[in-house]
Amino acid sequence: MKQHVVQLLTNVVELTETEILPLIETPPSREQGDIAFPCFQLAKKFRQAPPQIAQQILDKLNQLPLDDFGIKEVKQVGPYLNFFFDRKQYASHLLEQGMESLLSSTQIGEGKTVVVEYSSPNIAKHFQVYHIRSTMIGQSLANTYAALGYKVEKMNHLGDWGTQFGKLTAAFLKWGDEEKVKENPLSELVALYVKFHEEAENHPELVDEGRMWFKKLEDGDEEAVRIWQWFKDESLKVFERLYSQLNVSFDHYLGESFYSNKMDDVIQKIKEKDLLEESDGALVVRLDEQNIPPCIIQKSDGASIYATRDLASALYREEQFHPDKILYVVDQRQALHFQQVFSVLKKMDYAFADGCEHIAFGFMTIQGKIGSTRKGDGLLLDEVLDYAVERAMNIIEEKNPNLENKHEVAQAIGIGAIVFNDLKHHRTHNIDFNWDEAFTFEGKTGPYVQYTHARIKSLLRRASEEEATASQSVTPHPSYESDVAWDMIYALQQYPSVLVETTKKNDPSQIAKYLLELCQLFNRYYAQERFFVEDKAEVQAKIALASHVASTLKHGLELLSIKAPDAI
């Protein structure tokens, strides 16, 4: 709609489309119009009062064929021009387009690349429930950028390097049982890690032994590398099963270890820029102009740290992909770390640093609990997902025990409830998950959206039985003029701009909130309108509208990596 108005205004206002578009507004109520154009910012340019400018523009508009732009009428209200669309014509045009055609006009990422780093669990440790935040925020952002035409490189920056792997190797060689690890890898490895820290409280020499094994790993010792690789392989098998459940995928698994042989080169490049200073034996880059602490590049013992590895990974990504953006979906506690890393890149004169962004997020707990791996009392994500699926199955058995594919539907609803509950909140908010609230089929939940989609699919099945279909050719119909139908049509045409807004803010809650609003609009429409009436043209018109709503709900859920069952 905005684009239609912008194209029309370029005929009568000496401004470009790019200049007009930011000025366009949505009126507070539909009675005031569908689109509004305020003339305040034109007053300085034309040296006239905004109402006078509005009247002059209106006089010119009235000489144009407004209906060619889908517009029925333009009214002046003081400094505003309010545009009213021909509801029948616009609705039929929108519904004929379909989802792919609608999005094709919003391919803002054409020819651009974005790297999204997300999930990034530590190997040899369980996925805790709070890991779902980075994983699902990152995946949904990757999906949305791809839908807008970007080439997306999905990166899993595994935590697979550091002294903890020396400690784990030492623990495995002292107390480990290979068969037990093969049988239940992560639980056994976490238990060994916990035992190491418990024993180290009474035997501090164990810490030195752990450091020694990590030094061996860094030096390429055959046994140290073999054990570490085994830990990594077993961990990835478990992670892949979880990712499959969550509809999550990656293009690259490049952990910290991948950059271990690239850090000397990074240090050398920083030296060449004359940025390194010594501080208490460590090498740092001072960031006084940013009013933040120095970024440590190399510790006093010669070891590198996270910042060095993140600098190496950023340079590798720039060299390999030449991205327009690099997004780091990492919790908000790392804000200072990324501020330091990005600042160092800028001081090294890398232009791509301006496209690096830390996508921070808050904590997730389940009814107040979060847990700690070191203490061994974490909430395990696989157990939470299993319980969610079990709850969903109990609901299905109670409400629709004869449902086909009910195990698949239970998976979709159970896991969808967890994921949607996360993504409906702004990513920076802390979330406390409540089982009862997340599993209701009413209110702001994933099951509510899934149920609305399934309800529409049921309508469409009944329509096909009665030989009514959502035809490719949608005829303008008076039923589209009702306020309840028009509110829904208005929301449908906003979908592409919701995706654009999601990438602008890097916040998937934009999509989740939109889906909830669209469901509310459809359910109100469904309550007020009879679908199966004697007038076949009216039935076809309503089915076309319902079909487009279902397609939008499914597409939106898929962007959030949530499945949309056809029946529940």
Side-chain angles (χ1 to χ4, degrees):
M1 271 186 194
K2 287 183 179 180
Q3 201 59 48
H4 283 247
V5 172
V6 168
Q7 289 170 359
L8 178 61
L9 285 170
T10 55
N11 292 289
V12 296
V13 180
E14 293 177 12
L15 295 173
T16 65
E17 288 190 15
T18 307
E19 290 171 321
I20 294 172
L21 187 58
L23 304 179
I24 300 293
E25 295 181 2
T26 301
S29 70
R30 204 71 67 238
E31 292 77 20
Q32 294 172 286
D34 300 310
I35 297 292
F37 179 66
C39 297
F40 299 107
Q41 293 191 37
L42 303 182
K44 188 174 182 181
K45 180 180 176 70
F46 296 110
R47 298 178 180 277
Q48 288 180 301
Q52 285 180 286
I53 297 170
Q55 182 60 58
Q56 290 169 14
I57 295 173
L58 179 61
D59 292 341
K60 293 177 183 178
L61 286 173
N62 284 333
Q63 296 174 31
L64 298 177
L66 296 178
D67 54 345
D68 287 356
F69 296 86
I71 295 167
K72 185 177 181 180
E73 185 182 12
V74 184
K75 292 182 180 178
Q76 180 201 354
V77 180
Y80 286 91
L81 289 172
N82 293 336
F83 294 79
F84 295 80
F85 277 75
D86 184 315
R87 294 184 175 187
K88 288 190 296 184
Q89 293 291 342
Y90 186 83
S92 63
H93 169 73
L94 176 77
L95 300 178
E96 269 186 354
Q97 278 187 291
M99 181 60 63
E100 286 185 18
S101 178
L102 192 61
L103 290 177
S104 67
S105 61
T106 324
Q107 295 297 287
I108 60 170
E110 202 76 46
K112 297 177 183 177
T113 298
V114 59
V115 172
V116 188
E117 176 194 304
Y118 58 107
S119 196
S120 307
N122 292 320
I123 67 165
K125 290 185 178 178
H126 281 293
F127 242 90
Q128 302 296 324
V129 70
Y130 51 80
H131 285 125
I132 199 172
R133 297 228 68 197
S134 171
T135 303
M136 301 317 302
I137 292 169
Q139 183 67 54
S140 56
L141 287 178
N143 294 343
T144 307
Y145 274 98
L148 294 175
Y150 286 86
K151 186 179 190 314
V152 181
E153 301 290 346
K154 299 177 289 184
M155 311 285 293
N156 196 332
H157 188 75
L158 294 167
D160 63 354
W161 205 245
T163 54
Q164 68 265 37
F165 297 106
K167 295 174 183 178
L168 188 58
T169 300
F172 174 72
L173 292 173
K174 281 184 177 299
W175 309 298
D177 182 322
E178 188 169 343
E179 290 306 312
K180 283 185 177 179
V181 172
K182 285 180 179 177
E183 187 179 329
N184 197 353
L186 295 190
S187 292
E188 286 299 319
L189 293 174
V190 168
L192 288 170
Y193 188 68
V194 171
K195 182 168 184 175
F196 181 93
H197 283 278
E198 289 173 348
E199 294 290 330
E201 289 181 9
N202 298 318
H203 303 282
E205 67 275 8
L206 279 174
V207 176
D208 293 329
E209 194 172 336
R211 288 200 189 100
M212 180 266 293
W213 273 106
F214 181 58
K215 184 69 169 64
K216 283 188 172 187
L217 180 59
E218 285 188 303
D219 294 341
D221 176 82
E222 190 175 330
E223 185 179 17
V225 170
R226 178 187 63 79
I227 294 172
W228 168 83
Q229 188 62 52
W230 180 51
F231 292 161
K232 186 172 177 178
D233 292 343
E234 292 298 323
S235 300
L236 284 175
K237 289 177 188 175
V238 178
F239 294 165
E240 283 288 5
R241 286 198 295 272
L242 268 172
Y243 289 142
S244 178
Q245 276 186 288
L246 292 166
N247 303 312
V248 167
S249 63
F250 297 92
D251 300 308
H252 312 277
Y253 283 89
L254 297 179
E256 294 178 54
S257 62
F258 179 78
Y259 305 101
S260 61
N261 64 352
K262 296 174 173 56
M263 289 184 279
D264 288 343
D265 184 47
V266 171
I267 294 170
Q268 184 58 37
K269 285 178 178 175
I270 299 173
K271 279 181 181 174
E272 289 170 4
K273 293 286 184 180
D274 198 27
L275 296 173
L276 276 184
E277 293 185 23
E278 189 173 321
S279 176
D280 296 328
L283 294 177
V284 305
V285 175
R286 299 194 67 85
L287 301 169
D288 297 343
E289 69 280 6
Q290 301 285 330
N291 200 28
I292 56 176
C295 182
I296 301 172
I297 302 299
Q298 192 176 68
K299 293 193 287 189
S300 56
D301 62 2
S304 61
I305 63 167
Y306 287 121
T308 328
R309 291 192 277 275
D310 275 336
L311 288 167
S313 73
L315 295 178
Y316 173 82
R317 292 164 186 177
E318 164 62 13
E319 181 185 316
Q320 291 293 312
F321 310 118
H322 309 295
D324 297 87
K325 293 183 182 183
I326 305 178
L327 307 181
Y328 296 80
V329 188
V330 183
D331 82 61
Q332 59 197 14
R333 291 173 298 180
Q334 301 301 316
L336 175 60
H337 164 78
F338 284 110
Q339 192 180 357
Q340 290 172 318
V341 170
F342 301 159
S343 296
V344 171
L345 287 171
K346 287 177 184 177
K347 292 192 80 165
M348 293 173 75
D349 298 322
Y350 287 111
F352 78 89
D354 290 330
C356 294
E357 187 174 350
H358 174 210
I359 310 303
F361 56 86
F363 295 114
M364 180 180 185
T365 56
I366 289 192
Q367 296 182 181
K369 297 181 181 178
I370 184 166
S372 161
T373 305
R374 179 175 291 190
K375 296 177 182 177
D377 62 356
L379 276 168
L380 305 188
L381 181 58
D382 58 349
E383 292 178 0
V384 169
L385 294 181
D386 287 346
Y387 180 61
V389 173
E390 182 184 327
R391 280 187 73 122
M393 179 59 80
N394 291 339
I395 293 170
I396 292 170
E397 292 289 4
E398 179 187 336
K399 295 183 178 295
N400 192 4
N402 298 319
L403 177 68
E404 291 184 21
N405 305 321
K406 59 185 175 183
H407 292 284
E408 291 176 26
V409 175
Q411 284 273 337
I413 294 173
I415 294 171
I418 301 279
V419 173
F420 194 89
N421 184 80
D422 175 359
L423 297 180
K424 75 178 182 181
H425 298 280
H426 191 280
R427 56 179 167 80
T428 58
H429 294 172
N430 292 335
I431 298 169
D432 187 34
F433 181 88
N434 181 288
W435 287 104
D436 293 333
E437 286 177 9
F439 275 83
T440 179
F441 283 82
E442 298 174 0
K444 299 176 181 180
T445 70
Y448 171 67
V449 179
Q450 289 169 316
Y451 178 71
T452 302
H453 173 266
R455 166 184 269 183
I456 298 172
K457 296 301 282 187
S458 175
L459 268 178
L460 298 180
R461 286 192 295 272
R462 180 181 165 189
S464 65
E465 290 170 5
E466 299 190 14
E467 299 182 349
T469 60
S471 172
Q472 285 291 96
S473 176
V474 183
T475 305
H477 193 272
S479 66
Y480 295 144
E481 293 186 306
S482 72
D483 287 343
V484 67
W486 184 243
D487 284 347
M488 199 155 44
I489 291 159
Y490 196 88
L492 289 170
Q493 62 87 28
Q494 290 180 309
Y495 183 60
S497 62
V498 171
L499 305 193
V500 172
E501 196 67 15
T502 298
T503 58
K504 279 184 180 177
K505 297 180 177 178
N506 288 310
D507 174 32
S509 75
Q510 303 291 318
I511 297 173
K513 289 170 184 172
Y514 169 84
L515 295 178
L516 289 169
E517 180 189 348
L518 185 57
C519 286
Q520 289 166 354
L521 290 171
F522 176 80
N523 286 316
R524 192 175 76 199
Y525 177 73
Y526 182 74
Q528 292 184 23
E529 296 280 339
R530 285 180 57 221
F531 267 75
F532 299 101
V533 294
E534 290 184 12
D535 183 345
K536 293 303 178 187
E538 183 177 341
V539 175
Q540 294 282 6
K542 290 178 176 178
I543 289 300
L545 179 52
S547 178
H548 197 95
V549 173
S551 297
T552 305
L553 292 177
K554 183 175 183 178
H555 192 272
L557 285 171
E558 286 174 348
L559 292 184
L560 303 180
S561 283
I562 298 172
K563 293 180 179 177
D566 286 350
I568 293 178

